[in-house]
Amino acid sequence: NAGVTQTPKFRILKIGQSMTLQCAQDMNHNYMYWYRQDPGMGLKLIYYSVGAGITDKGEVPNGYNVSRSTTEDFPLRLELAAPSQTSVYFCASSYSPSGLGFYEQYFGPGTRLTVT
Amino acid sequence: DAKTTQPPSMDCAEGRAANLPCNHSTISGNEYVYWYRQIHSQGPQYIIHGLKNNETNEMASLIITEDRKSSTLILPHATLRDTAVYYCIVRVVHNFNKFYFGSGTKLNVKP
């Protein structure tokens, strides 16, 4: 299994541009998440999904959108990029057979985004 | 979810046990304690979790005090590859929206 994969690894955007960060997992996990990590800080949850077709906001959703059309993919869309969105973005997935929760999240390698 | 307090950094000699403390004095009865680590800007890696009993797996041991207000992650024989930021997180298991990583403890394992 490849686990959680993210593309691209690095990206530089100009202010006002848009882009989509791709995330895919091949572990048949029902839950998927997007986090951002600013320098020297912990991770903050942007959006999460508990299954295909179901998404919800996390702690810092403004400026982002997500969709979950399949179990495997969970793209993150940045509209009108701003310098405040310069960060490292991590995608994660987890599995809960009962739907009552999860214990272990698996993280991708991250996408380093710079907005100038 | 309860907040956690961790020292910003710790040193440990290679081959010795690394004991990483975490204070979670406001933890509630249905909140689990999780430990993750992040090696040099890679994606975080799950280590262990527990509710009230001590737990052990192939990576580490988790000791939770009887009143559950604090816990200690123990790496029994630290290696240079264990140098990382270690995050202690408390969370209700079904609360998907609440998984705060905080700033963690930077563990420096020295030869």
Side-chain angles (χ1 to χ4, degrees), chain A residues 48-93:
Chain A
Y48 67 98
S49 168
V50 301
I54 306 170
T55 63
D56 207 347
K57 297 177 181 178
E59 185 185 2
V60 289
N62 291 344
Y64 307 94
N65 277 300
V66 294
S67 59
R68 183 105 181 264
S69 56
T70 67
T71 299
E72 295 78 19
D73 300 299
F74 191 40
L76 177 72
R77 178 81 177 163
L78 278 73
E79 305 281 2
L80 298 175
S84 60
Q85 294 178 303
T86 293
S87 191
V88 180
Y89 291 84
F90 290 101
C91 179
S93 70

Side-chain angles (χ1 to χ4, degrees), chain A residues 4 8 20 74 108:
Chain A
V4 179
T20 299
F74 191 40

Side-chain angles (χ1 to χ4, degrees), chain A residues 3-110:
Chain A
V4 179
T5 57
Q6 293 183 239
T7 56
K9 286 187 169 53
F10 304 93
R11 183 71 187 269
I12 297 175
L13 279 183
K14 294 190 185 304
I15 295 171
Q17 288 185 321
S18 300
M19 76 164 294
T20 299
L21 281 66
Q22 300 292 344
C23 174
Q25 53 91 9
D26 61 358
M27 298 174 282
N28 202 32
H29 285 174
N30 44 357
Y31 300 130
M32 296 187 74
Y33 317 83
W34 274 105
Y35 293 89
R36 61 175 286 174
Q37 185 174 34
D38 298 331
M41 306 294 287
L43 281 72
K44 292 186 177 181
L45 183 65
I46 306 172
Y47 271 96
Y48 67 98
S49 168
V50 301
I54 306 170
T55 63
D56 207 347
K57 297 177 181 178
E59 185 185 2
V60 289
N62 291 344
Y64 307 94
N65 277 300
V66 294
S67 59
R68 183 105 181 264
S69 56
T70 67
T71 299
E72 295 78 19
D73 300 299
F74 191 40
L76 177 72
R77 178 81 177 163
L78 278 73
E79 305 281 2
L80 298 175
S84 60
Q85 294 178 303
T86 293
S87 191
V88 180
Y89 291 84
F90 290 101
C91 179
S93 70
S94 64
Y95 179 64
S96 173
S98 64
L100 294 179
F102 65 90
Y103 299 106
E104 177 178 359
Q105 293 185 65
Y106 295 81
F107 283 81

Side-chain angles (χ1 to χ4, degrees), chain B residues 90-104:
Chain B
V90 293
R91 194 187 67 91
V92 177
V93 70
H94 61 268
N95 197 342
F96 312 114
N97 195 16
K98 307 284 188 181
F99 204 63
Y100 300 116
F101 274 76
S103 298

Side-chain angles (χ1 to χ4, degrees), chain B residues 31 50-55 64-66 68:
Chain B
E31 287 183 308
L51 182 61
K52 54 184 178 181
N53 297 320
N54 296 338
E55 302 287 346
I64 302 174
T65 58
E66 192 167 341
R68 303 208 324 122

